[in-house]
């Protein structure tokens, strides 16, 4: 039975241990399960016990490229329960189930006024940590949520009856909806989404909600079967079919009005540019590394094909995304269908390995510091 200790400064649910397990990034491709201190919180902050945390493509990039210094504790698609409330964070109570955004924009700078929140210098600061340089911290048992995240709508309550792991999709769905909105799709338009991993399926499902016709391509039949659960019924088998020809056949020979590339690297940029019609748009959604790529400048100038990108979440669509993810759970947008694996912290290294080498049977991978709690 949990006891509630309350004084003027902090509220605490039960007894919080002094140490916890966490997956610590110690260098390129070097993750270790370690025992670290449970982070202490200050005024205005929250301590959240992490139930589940999605493995994101950007976590993998950081782990495999060494883009960030070590040591760090990654993981940012997390949901859990508040176990301690710092002085002044009175809007929240111990025991509440929440999703934590690891960064929020300032709302006032030039970039925020232009609604390009991901470029805001405050947004680039990470405000959730399980220790070391703040890096999300979802791959640990407890996270400290800093005051500016708590004060600026970075903590979202999860209604009763909603599985925590559905709510953990708030951040990835936000990034996806932001990209789809940038394309201004219309009901008479056709979209091709290349790649049907979990992000590709979400992109395609939200593109379809605009009324547009959506074609999806992937190498794996198993992924097309999952996509079909989201109403995506025009799969292209990229292993045996010519994707560009299929798109032309579906569009009176014009090409797609928009192509969304949900596969990383540069190899498929040309395919995307070829599949889009003159005057159409190509959205790069998975190109998260700076590198050189070839493209035909005449396709951009003379054929008026627009090449654009989208990265990270938008504060402007928080409410819409919350409604979509929490309201959609029983209404055609059950994202837990995208989860193929759930691993305890002890198997996090294996989880990252599987996420890094997608196969026909792997989709969204969750790490559960409390095994089974994601489904509660
Ligand atoms: Zn993410
Ligand atoms: Zn700003």
């Amino acid at each position: 039975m949990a006891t509630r200790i309350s004084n003027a400064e902090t509220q605490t649910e039960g007894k919080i241990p002094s140490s916890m397990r966490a997956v610590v990034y110690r260098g390129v491709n070097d993750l270790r399960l370690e025992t670290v201190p449970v982070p202490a919180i200050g005024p205005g902050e929250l301590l959240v016990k992490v139930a589940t945390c999605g493995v994101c493509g950007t976590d993998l990039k950081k782990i495999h490229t060494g883009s960030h210094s070590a040591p760090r504790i990654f993981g940012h698609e997390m949901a859990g329960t508040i176990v301690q409330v710092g002085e002044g964070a009175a809007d929240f109570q111990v025991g509440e189930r929440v999703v934590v955004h690891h960064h929020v924009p300032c709302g006032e700078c030039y970039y925020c006024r232009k609604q390009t929140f991901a470029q805001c210098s405050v947004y680039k600061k990470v405000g959730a940590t399980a220790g070391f340089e703040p890096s999300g911290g979802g791959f640990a048992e407890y996270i400290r949520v800093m005051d500016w995240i708590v004060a600026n709508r970075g903590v979202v309550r999860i209604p009763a009856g909603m599985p925590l792991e559905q709510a953990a999709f708030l951040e990835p769905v936000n990034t996806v909806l932001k990209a789809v909105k940038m394309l201004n799709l219309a009901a008479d338009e056709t979209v091709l989404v290349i790649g049907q991993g979990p992000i590709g399926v979400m992109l395609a499902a939200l593109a379809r909600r605009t009324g547009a016709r959506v074609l999806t391509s992937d190498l794996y039949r198993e992924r097309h079967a999952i996509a079909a659960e989201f109403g995506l019924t025009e799969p292209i088998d990229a292993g045996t079919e010519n994707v560009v020809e299929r798109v032309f056949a579906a569009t009176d020979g014009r090409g797609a009005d928009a192509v969304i590339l949900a596969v990383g690297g540069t190899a498929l940029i040309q395919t995307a540019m070829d599949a889009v019609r003159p005057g159409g748009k190509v959205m790069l959604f998975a190109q998260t590394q700076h590198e050189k790529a070839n493209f035909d400048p005449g396709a951009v100038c003379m054929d008026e094909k627009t090449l654009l990108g989208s990265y990270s979440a938008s504060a402007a669509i928080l409410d819409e995304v919350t409604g979509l993810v929490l309201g959609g759970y029983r209404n055609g947008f059950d994202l837990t269908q995208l989860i193929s694996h759930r691993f305890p912290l002890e198997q996090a290294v294996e989880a990252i390995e599987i996420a890094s080498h997608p196969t026909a049977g792997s989709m969204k991978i969750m790490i559960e510091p409390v095994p089974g709690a994601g489904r509660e």
Side-chain angles (χ1 to χ4, degrees):
M1 202 38 208
T3 52
R4 183 167 294 188
I5 303 159
S6 186
N7 59 36
E9 286 165 0
T10 54
Q11 271 193 341
T12 302
E13 177 92 10
K15 186 168 162 35
I16 293 161
S18 58
S19 64
M20 63 176 183
R21 290 160 311 145
V23 180
V24 182
Y25 168 78
R26 287 281 171 189
V28 179
N29 296 325
D30 184 2
L31 291 175
R32 301 180 201 171
L33 185 69
E34 297 184 13
T35 299
V36 300
V38 171
I41 63 167
E45 300 189 333
L46 302 174
L47 187 70
V48 172
K49 187 170 180 15
V50 182
T52 186
C53 184
V55 177
C56 174
T58 58
D59 297 320
L60 303 175
K61 183 199 82 172
K62 292 166 193 165
I63 292 162
H64 298 315
T65 67
S67 59
H68 292 56
S69 63
R72 287 171 188 261
I73 300 170
F74 292 126
H76 60 267
E77 299 177 1
M78 58 261 182
T81 305
I82 296 173
V83 292
Q84 196 170 36
V85 178
E87 175 193 353
D91 284 356
F92 289 95
Q93 293 186 350
V94 291
E96 285 187 301
R97 302 175 343 132
V98 291
V99 173
V100 176
H101 289 280
H102 60 311
H103 40 208
V104 294
C106 76
E108 289 165 6
C109 73
Y110 185 83
Y111 290 113
C112 285
R113 290 202 303 276
K114 297 292 175 188
Q115 304 251 308
T116 47
F117 303 105
Q119 309 306 328
C120 163
S121 61
V122 170
Y123 187 85
K124 289 181 185 209
K125 286 198 304 179
V126 176
T129 181
F132 308 112
E133 184 69 26
S135 302
F139 302 153
E141 289 184 86
Y142 294 90
I143 53 165
R144 168 186 163 212
V145 187
M146 294 176 188
D147 54 352
W148 84 88
I149 299 281
V150 177
N152 291 297
R153 309 186 64 212
V155 181
V156 180
R157 288 184 182 85
I158 303 169
M162 179 71 49
L164 289 162
E165 61 190 17
Q166 170 82 4
F169 279 94
L170 276 181
E171 191 260 0
V173 167
N174 190 312
T175 68
V176 163
L177 183 64
K178 173 185 160 187
V180 170
K181 281 179 177 287
M182 283 174 76
L183 295 172
N184 278 320
L185 298 170
D188 64 347
E189 293 187 327
T190 300
V191 185
L192 167 68
V193 181
I194 300 176
Q196 289 292 281
I199 286 286
V201 172
M202 287 191 268
L203 283 161
L206 294 188
R208 185 173 166 273
R209 285 187 168 225
T210 68
R213 179 180 180 187
V214 180
L215 310 178
T216 54
S217 78
D218 200 277
L219 291 169
Y220 299 126
R221 207 178 294 267
E222 292 84 347
R223 292 183 163 190
H224 285 308
I226 292 168
E229 298 287 327
F230 292 86
L232 302 163
T233 52
E234 297 200 70
I236 302 172
D237 180 346
T240 60
E241 297 182 274
N242 183 312
V243 175
V244 175
E245 280 175 14
R246 276 286 309 272
V247 172
F248 274 67
T251 55
D252 297 328
R254 277 193 309 273
D257 298 279
V259 176
I260 305 175
L261 186 50
V263 178
T266 60
L268 290 171
I269 295 175
Q270 187 66 52
T271 303
M273 289 295 275
D274 290 344
V276 81
R277 68 164 167 82
K281 296 171 188 151
V282 170
M283 164 66 67
L284 303 184
F285 193 80
Q287 280 54 45
T288 57
Q289 289 186 56
H290 289 287
E291 58 186 321
K292 298 272 187 266
N294 282 322
F295 80 103
D296 169 5
V300 174
C301 177
M302 293 184 294
D303 301 340
E304 300 181 308
K305 295 180 179 181
T306 300
L307 195 50
L308 71 170
S310 180
Y311 183 66
S312 201
S314 167
I317 57 173
L318 278 182
D319 291 334
E320 186 176 354
V321 170
T322 302
L324 190 59
V325 173
L326 302 184
Y329 175 60
R330 290 181 187 82
N331 189 19
F333 206 50
D334 174 2
L335 297 163
T336 67
Q337 297 175 100
L338 296 174
I339 299 172
S340 61
H341 296 75
R342 297 170 179 89
F343 288 104
L345 270 181
E346 288 72 17
Q347 285 174 269
V349 174
E350 188 182 338
I352 301 286
E353 190 61 24
I354 291 173
S356 303
H357 305 284
T359 62
S362 65
M363 288 288 280
K364 188 69 178 177
I365 315 257
M366 307 298 290
I367 292 177
E368 296 190 318
V370 183
R375 274 162 280 186
E376 289 169 5

